[in-house]
């Protein structure tokens, strides 16, 4: 209930989620994003390096039902990994779905890449 303890808390469509929590029974999820079996993805690494949830998942706070915001094809991932300064944000803004890139994003991003010790694929 992490997100839904704050968003759409009384939405009828989320009744199964609330019931699952109440009776301690896991939900059967319909996946929105798929990655191949050989791909290892760790949310924690990205979050700790300043990559916001909305970069990959879109503004889920505006989605009554979650949909795929990005393809998550290798090209999408490589675009960020090769130049993360375009996408990185302060860690305290990672979960802020309203955060907007500042006009000097690239300069700020380059500083954060160094500060957060982000490795690039260059």
């Amino acid at each position: 209930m992490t997100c839904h303890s704050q968003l759409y808390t009384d939405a009828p469509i989320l009744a199964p989620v609330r019931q699952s929590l109440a009776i301690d029974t896991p939900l059967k999820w319909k996946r929105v994003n798929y990655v191949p079996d050989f791909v290892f993805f760790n949310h924690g690494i990205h979050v700790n390096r300043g990559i916001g949830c909305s970069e990959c998942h879109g503004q889920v706070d505006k989605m009554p039902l979650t949909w795929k915001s990005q393809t998550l094809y290798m090209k999408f991932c490589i675009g960020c990994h090769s130049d993360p300064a375009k996408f990185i944000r302060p860690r305290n803004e990672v979960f802020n779905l309203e955060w907007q890139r500042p006009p000097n994003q690239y300069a700020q991003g380059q500083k954060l890449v160094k500060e957060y010790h982000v490795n690039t694929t260059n």
Side-chain angles (χ1 to χ4, degrees):
M1 291 295 294
T2 306
C3 292
H4 293 302
S5 67
Q6 306 292 315
L7 302 169
Y8 304 111
T9 55
D10 296 325
I13 198 167
L14 294 176
V17 177
R18 292 189 296 274
Q19 181 182 9
S20 169
L21 178 64
I23 63 173
D24 196 29
T25 303
L27 283 173
K28 292 184 180 178
W29 291 103
K30 181 177 180 185
R31 293 188 66 94
V32 175
N33 290 302
Y34 293 88
V35 293
D37 289 340
F38 62 85
V39 173
F40 174 74
F41 181 84
N42 183 324
H43 278 96
I45 291 170
H46 291 80
V47 167
N48 290 327
R49 295 296 191 273
I51 301 301
C53 303
S54 58
E55 292 297 334
C56 302
H57 299 290
Q59 289 207 249
V60 294
D61 60 328
K62 306 277 192 270
M63 299 177 190
L65 189 60
T66 306
W67 62 78
K68 188 187 304 188
S69 167
Q70 299 290 342
T71 63
L72 302 186
Y73 293 155
M74 188 178 288
K75 179 180 177 181
F76 173 77
C77 299
I78 289 173
C80 186
H81 277 257
S82 63
D83 198 2
K86 295 177 184 175
F87 307 98
I88 198 167
R89 62 178 79 176
R91 285 187 185 126
N92 65 336
E93 297 291 347
V94 167
F95 299 110
N96 179 358
L97 298 173
E98 299 294 327
W99 185 82
Q100 299 290 314
R101 290 182 181 93
N104 63 342
Q105 170 62 37
Y106 201 74
Q108 289 293 342
Q110 288 177 316
K111 289 179 187 176
L112 292 174
V113 165
K114 284 184 181 182
E115 182 181 335
Y116 297 165
H117 307 286
V118 175
N119 296 322
T120 63
T121 58
N122 295 0

